[in-house]
Amino acid sequence: MNIIKNDYSYNIIKGYENLDISYYENGNLRKKQKIVGENKYSIERYDENEILTQKGTFFRDTNVFYWIGELLTFNQNKSLKIVTNYSEDGKFIDTQNYLNEILDSTTIYLSDENIYRFISYYPNGNIKEEGYYIYEDNYNNDISWIGNHNFYSEEGELVEYKGRV
Protein backbone atom coordinates (compact mmCIF):
# COMPACT_ATOMS: atom_id res chain seq x y z
CA MET A 1 0.00 0.00 0.00
CA ASN A 2 1.38 3.38 -0.99
CA ILE A 3 0.56 6.04 1.62
CA ILE A 4 1.71 9.62 1.14
CA LYS A 5 2.20 11.50 4.43
CA ASN A 6 0.50 14.81 3.79
CA ASP A 7 -2.77 16.35 4.88
CA TYR A 8 -5.30 14.76 2.52
CA SER A 9 -3.78 11.75 0.84
CA TYR A 10 -5.87 9.11 -0.89
CA ASN A 11 -5.03 5.56 -1.73
CA ILE A 12 -6.92 4.76 -4.95
CA ILE A 13 -7.34 1.08 -5.71
CA LYS A 14 -8.94 -0.05 -9.01
CA GLY A 15 -10.50 3.37 -9.65
CA TYR A 16 -12.41 3.93 -6.41
CA GLU A 17 -11.61 5.04 -2.89
CA ASN A 18 -10.82 2.00 -0.81
CA LEU A 19 -8.88 3.64 1.97
CA ASP A 20 -8.16 7.26 2.86
CA ILE A 21 -5.48 7.99 5.41
CA SER A 22 -4.23 11.47 6.23
CA TYR A 23 -1.57 12.76 8.57
CA TYR A 24 -0.66 15.98 10.32
CA GLU A 25 2.53 17.75 9.25
CA ASN A 26 4.36 16.13 12.19
CA GLY A 27 3.54 12.68 10.76
CA ASN A 28 0.88 11.77 13.33
CA LEU A 29 -2.30 10.11 12.12
CA ARG A 30 -5.15 12.54 11.44
CA LYS A 31 -7.88 10.47 9.79
CA LYS A 32 -8.67 6.93 8.63
CA GLN A 33 -11.60 6.43 6.31
CA LYS A 34 -12.68 3.37 4.35
CA ILE A 35 -15.55 2.38 2.12
CA VAL A 36 -18.03 0.03 3.82
CA GLY A 37 -20.83 0.00 1.24
CA GLU A 38 -22.20 1.91 -1.71
CA ASN A 39 -21.59 5.59 -0.84
CA LYS A 40 -21.03 4.57 2.82
CA TYR A 41 -17.78 5.19 4.68
CA SER A 42 -16.45 4.53 8.15
CA ILE A 43 -14.23 7.24 9.60
CA GLU A 44 -11.94 7.74 12.56
CA ARG A 45 -10.58 11.22 13.32
CA TYR A 46 -7.65 11.90 15.63
CA ASP A 47 -6.17 14.99 17.27
CA GLU A 48 -2.55 16.13 16.85
CA ASN A 49 -1.46 13.61 19.52
CA GLU A 50 -3.16 10.67 17.73
CA ILE A 51 -5.96 10.49 20.31
CA LEU A 52 -9.27 9.35 18.81
CA THR A 53 -11.79 12.25 18.77
CA GLN A 54 -14.54 10.92 16.48
CA LYS A 55 -15.67 7.60 15.06
CA GLY A 56 -18.69 6.86 12.90
CA THR A 57 -20.21 5.97 9.55
CA PHE A 58 -21.54 8.39 6.97
CA PHE A 59 -23.26 8.47 3.58
CA ARG A 60 -21.79 10.63 0.83
CA ASP A 61 -22.48 11.15 -2.83
CA THR A 62 -21.94 14.18 -5.04
CA ASN A 63 -24.29 16.57 -3.22
CA VAL A 64 -25.33 14.78 -0.02
CA PHE A 65 -23.58 14.01 3.28
CA TYR A 66 -25.12 12.65 6.47
CA TRP A 67 -24.21 10.47 9.44
CA ILE A 68 -25.79 7.02 9.84
CA GLY A 69 -25.83 4.68 12.82
CA GLU A 70 -23.75 5.54 15.89
CA LEU A 71 -21.38 8.52 15.98
CA LEU A 72 -18.90 8.72 18.88
CA THR A 73 -17.21 12.02 19.76
CA PHE A 74 -14.59 12.44 22.50
CA ASN A 75 -12.66 15.31 24.01
CA GLN A 76 -8.88 15.01 24.27
CA ASN A 77 -8.68 13.43 27.73
CA LYS A 78 -11.76 11.25 27.12
CA SER A 79 -13.61 12.77 30.11
CA LEU A 80 -16.47 13.71 27.74
CA LYS A 81 -18.01 11.18 25.36
CA ILE A 82 -20.98 11.97 23.14
CA VAL A 83 -22.93 9.11 21.56
CA THR A 84 -25.26 10.25 18.78
CA ASN A 85 -27.55 7.87 16.88
CA TYR A 86 -28.89 8.48 13.38
CA SER A 87 -31.30 6.51 11.20
CA GLU A 88 -30.19 4.92 7.91
CA ASP A 89 -31.51 8.00 6.09
CA GLY A 90 -29.57 10.39 8.34
CA LYS A 91 -32.30 11.57 10.74
CA PHE A 92 -31.24 12.35 14.29
CA ILE A 93 -32.62 9.81 16.80
CA ASP A 94 -30.96 10.62 20.11
CA THR A 95 -27.76 11.56 21.86
CA GLN A 96 -26.22 10.70 25.21
CA ASN A 97 -23.51 12.78 26.86
CA TYR A 98 -21.19 11.04 29.31
CA LEU A 99 -18.92 12.85 31.74
CA ASN A 100 -16.21 10.59 33.18
CA GLU A 101 -18.17 7.55 31.94
CA ILE A 102 -21.32 8.62 33.86
CA LEU A 103 -24.44 9.53 31.86
CA ASP A 104 -24.82 13.33 32.10
CA SER A 105 -27.68 14.09 29.69
CA THR A 106 -29.87 12.65 26.95
CA THR A 107 -31.67 14.31 24.06
CA ILE A 108 -34.35 12.35 22.20
CA TYR A 109 -35.94 13.37 18.89
CA LEU A 110 -39.72 13.04 19.12
CA SER A 111 -41.28 14.39 15.90
CA ASP A 112 -40.81 16.01 12.51
CA GLU A 113 -41.90 19.32 14.08
CA ASN A 114 -38.42 19.49 15.70
CA ILE A 115 -39.66 18.51 19.16
CA TYR A 116 -37.04 17.05 21.49
CA ARG A 117 -36.99 15.69 25.04
CA PHE A 118 -34.01 16.67 27.17
CA ILE A 119 -33.00 14.93 30.41
CA SER A 120 -29.93 15.65 32.54
CA TYR A 121 -28.74 13.44 35.37
CA TYR A 122 -26.93 13.64 38.68
CA PRO A 123 -23.84 11.41 39.05
CA ASN A 124 -25.98 9.01 41.12
CA GLY A 125 -28.25 8.46 38.08
CA ASN A 126 -31.25 10.41 39.35
CA ILE A 127 -32.85 12.91 36.98
CA LYS A 128 -31.66 16.48 37.56
CA GLU A 129 -33.70 18.27 34.87
CA GLU A 130 -36.17 17.26 32.19
CA GLY A 131 -38.21 19.07 29.62
CA TYR A 132 -39.24 19.44 26.00
CA TYR A 133 -38.08 21.96 23.45
CA ILE A 134 -38.31 22.86 19.79
CA TYR A 135 -35.66 24.32 17.55
CA GLU A 136 -36.61 27.77 16.35
CA ASP A 137 -33.53 27.90 14.13
CA ASN A 138 -31.53 24.69 13.61
CA TYR A 139 -28.49 26.56 12.31
CA ASN A 140 -28.12 28.82 15.35
CA ASN A 141 -29.27 26.27 17.94
CA ASP A 142 -32.07 28.64 19.01
CA ILE A 143 -34.47 26.61 21.13
CA SER A 144 -37.73 27.31 22.94
CA TRP A 145 -38.79 25.22 25.93
CA ILE A 146 -42.36 23.93 25.62
CA GLY A 147 -44.63 22.09 28.03
CA ASN A 148 -43.30 21.20 31.46
CA HIS A 149 -39.70 21.85 32.46
CA ASN A 150 -38.89 20.16 35.77
CA PHE A 151 -35.92 20.35 38.12
CA TYR A 152 -35.20 17.71 40.78
CA SER A 153 -33.07 17.38 43.89
CA GLU A 154 -30.24 14.86 43.95
CA GLU A 155 -32.58 12.59 45.92
CA GLY A 156 -35.14 12.69 43.09
CA GLU A 157 -37.68 15.10 44.57
CA LEU A 158 -39.30 17.74 42.35
CA VAL A 159 -37.90 21.12 43.47
CA GLU A 160 -38.95 23.42 40.65
CA TYR A 161 -41.59 23.23 37.94
CA LYS A 162 -41.92 25.56 35.00
CA GLY A 163 -44.99 25.26 32.81
CA ARG A 164 -44.48 26.73 29.36
CA VAL A 165 -46.56 27.30 26.29
Side-chain angles (χ1 to χ4, degrees):
M1 177 168 35
N2 181 19
I3 299 173
I4 301 169
K5 287 194 171 191
N6 61 23
D7 218 9
Y8 291 99
S9 60
Y10 285 90
N11 183 12
I12 307 297
I13 298 176
K14 296 182 183 174
Y16 64 91
E17 293 175 304
N18 187 39
L19 181 63
D20 167 4
I21 299 176
S22 66
Y23 298 86
Y24 290 99
E25 286 185 19
N26 66 6
N28 286 349
L29 181 63
R30 180 179 185 193
K31 177 178 75 169
K32 291 192 301 187
Q33 177 179 309
K34 67 181 177 179
I35 193 165
V36 294
E38 185 174 347
N39 295 331
K40 292 182 181 179
Y41 302 84
S42 69
I43 189 167
E44 294 177 2
R45 292 185 175 139
Y46 299 84
D47 70 8
E48 300 82 14
N49 298 312
E50 291 191 342
I51 296 173
L52 181 67
T53 59
Q54 192 173 56
K55 181 178 182 178
T57 303
F58 64 91
F59 174 90
R60 180 184 72 200
D61 70 9
T62 307
N63 298 313
V64 178
F65 170 93
Y66 55 81
W67 294 105
I68 54 178
E70 183 179 78
L71 173 66
L72 301 174
T73 306
F74 307 94
N75 66 348
Q76 191 172 31
N77 66 9
K78 300 276 196 264
S79 63
L80 176 65
K81 175 174 86 172
I82 302 169
V83 180
T84 307
N85 294 292
Y86 296 91
S87 67
E88 282 298 309
D89 60 355
K91 290 187 178 184
F92 173 80
I93 297 172
D94 63 18
T95 188
Q96 299 90 40
N97 296 312
Y98 293 86
L99 189 58
N100 298 317
E101 296 298 321
I102 297 172
L103 183 62
D104 182 64
S105 65
T106 302
T107 301
I108 304 165
Y109 179 72
L110 298 177
S111 75
D112 288 336
E113 287 82 37
N114 286 336
I115 298 175
Y116 298 82
R117 181 174 184 211
F118 173 80
I119 307 168
S120 67
Y121 302 90
Y122 287 104
N124 67 8
N126 286 341
I127 294 176
K128 181 178 184 178
E129 172 187 3
E130 67 178 334
Y132 298 85
Y133 65 88
I134 59 171
Y135 270 111
E136 298 293 330
D137 180 348
N138 285 338
Y139 296 103
N140 293 320
N141 288 327
D142 290 337
I143 66 169
S144 293
W145 291 99
I146 58 174
N148 298 335
H149 190 181
N150 299 324
F151 298 86
Y152 299 89
S153 71
E154 200 161 349
E155 293 75 36
E157 297 174 18
L158 181 64
V159 293
E160 186 178 352
Y161 162 83
K162 293 183 180 179
R164 301 181 191 248
V165 179

